[in-house]
Amino acid sequence: MEVILLKITAILYLVAAVSYVFYVAFRNANSRIPAVALGAGFTVHSAALAAHFLREGYPAVTQLSDALSFKSWLMIAAYLVIQLKYSVNVLGCIVTPLAFLMSLAGFAFGSQGAEVPPALKTFWLPLHVTLASLGNAVFALAFAVSLMYLAQERRLKHKKVTALMKRLPSLESLDRLNSVLLFWGFPFMTLGIITGSIWAGIHWGDYWSWDPRQITSGLAWLFYGALLHGRVTAGLRGRKAALLTVFGFVVVLGYFLWGDALFPSRHGGRFD
């Protein structure tokens, strides 16, 4: 049942992604298909995650395939919140294909690693993973907004006018939204690292054991902290801020997908 719901979710995200592209390309402002498809996909996705929780007694976050699905669900949830406040439909052109690919990748990776030991089935599991994943989900939106900023800047620089580019918000609006998303994502990332360290201290006896995932999380935290510090104190704006946001998320996403294969750690399905 859960697998069927996830397959339906992937199909609905694909429909939403194609609909958003048509919606923007042909400037069909009256079309409700993208919003309906995305809302249906998010609802079915929520039902799949709820079914897993009711069956297993803990959230679907312990396997890479599960984590990809959970992160895409959080990203769509964050996008729906942003959409309510800022009404940036064009952002769906990037977010929905990304959600579809993450859902598809979840099927491709399949089930990996070992069962979660009973000792780790505590409230720390959903608390730590949800906070850390929520930070990444918000940074994913900041990544999408930065791509839109760079595309809009290029259009203005080369005076290339396309239907898609006409629908993009102004550079000022995109830079401001990027800043808002970074300021929202950083506290979630910080809380994710703190709860992870506390959980490690309780279960493994060390709050910080120089595990590769801990080290890279710390480096990512320093990077985003420096980026925010530059925005607040050094006037870091526009193209440089957008490029750094894209770079940061690409590195974080790359390590999430392949980091445990390159640098084995206690994460990634090994709960020794």
Side-chain angles (χ1 to χ4, degrees):
M1 182 64 180
E2 181 187 332
V3 174
I4 294 174
L5 291 176
L6 289 174
K7 288 181 178 178
I8 295 173
T9 298
I11 293 171
L12 288 171
Y13 283 164
L14 175 61
V15 172
V18 174
S19 301
Y20 268 110
V21 172
F22 273 89
Y23 166 80
V24 172
F26 296 101
R27 308 184 68 178
N28 184 6
N30 295 319
S31 176
R32 295 185 179 277
I33 295 177
V36 171
L38 183 59
F42 181 72
T43 302
V44 176
H45 202 169
S46 302
L49 296 178
H52 179 96
F53 183 82
L54 292 174
R55 177 169 56 85
E56 301 292 341
Y58 59 89
V61 295
T62 57
Q63 308 290 334
L64 179 58
S65 56
D66 295 337
L68 280 168
S69 175
F70 186 62
K71 286 176 185 290
S72 67
W73 180 77
L74 286 175
M75 184 178 66
I76 293 298
Y79 167 69
L80 292 175
V81 173
I82 292 296
Q83 176 65 7
L84 286 175
K85 184 172 178 59
Y86 295 96
S87 188
V88 281
N89 286 316
V90 69
L91 187 58
C93 287
I94 300 176
V95 172
T96 50
L98 191 57
F100 166 68
L101 291 175
M102 290 171 73
S103 301
L104 203 63
F107 288 113
F109 282 110
S111 181
Q112 300 173 350
E115 288 290 327
V116 179
L120 291 183
K121 294 179 181 178
T122 72
F123 71 95
W124 289 105
L125 173 62
L127 181 63
H128 162 62
V129 175
T130 300
L131 288 170
S133 299
L134 195 52
N136 287 340
V138 177
F139 287 146
L141 294 182
F143 161 79
V145 169
S146 296
L147 289 181
M148 290 164 56
Y149 181 97
L150 295 172
Q152 182 73 309
E153 184 196 46
R154 180 178 175 81
R155 179 187 74 86
L156 294 174
K157 184 177 180 180
H158 296 280
K159 298 180 180 179
K160 292 182 178 178
V161 180
T162 64
L164 177 61
M165 297 305 175
K166 286 182 180 179
R167 304 299 295 272
L168 293 178
S170 67
L171 291 179
E172 292 76 13
S173 298
L174 291 170
D175 186 57
R176 185 166 55 251
L177 183 55
N178 180 25
S179 177
V180 169
L181 291 169
L182 289 176
F183 274 96
W184 274 102
F186 190 69
F188 286 124
M189 170 185 265
T190 303
L191 291 172
I193 293 174
I194 291 174
T195 53
S197 294
I198 295 174
W199 189 22
I202 294 172
H203 184 72
W204 289 325
D206 291 316
Y207 294 101
W208 186 269
S209 55
W210 297 103
D211 180 89
R213 181 59 64 94
Q214 287 182 319
I215 295 173
T216 53
S217 296
L219 291 174
W221 185 84
L222 289 173
F223 174 83
Y224 279 107
L227 180 55
L228 287 174
H229 182 72
R231 274 194 165 274
V232 173
T233 64
L236 182 62
R237 298 285 186 277
R239 179 180 176 80
K240 288 184 179 178
L243 287 172
L244 287 172
T245 304
V246 170
F247 172 78
F249 182 72
V250 168
V251 172
V252 168
L253 180 62
Y255 187 84
F256 172 75
L257 292 175
W258 299 290
D260 285 317
L262 297 173
F263 308 102
S265 73
R266 286 174 165 175
H267 287 76
R270 287 177 290 275
F271 303 99
D272 54 324

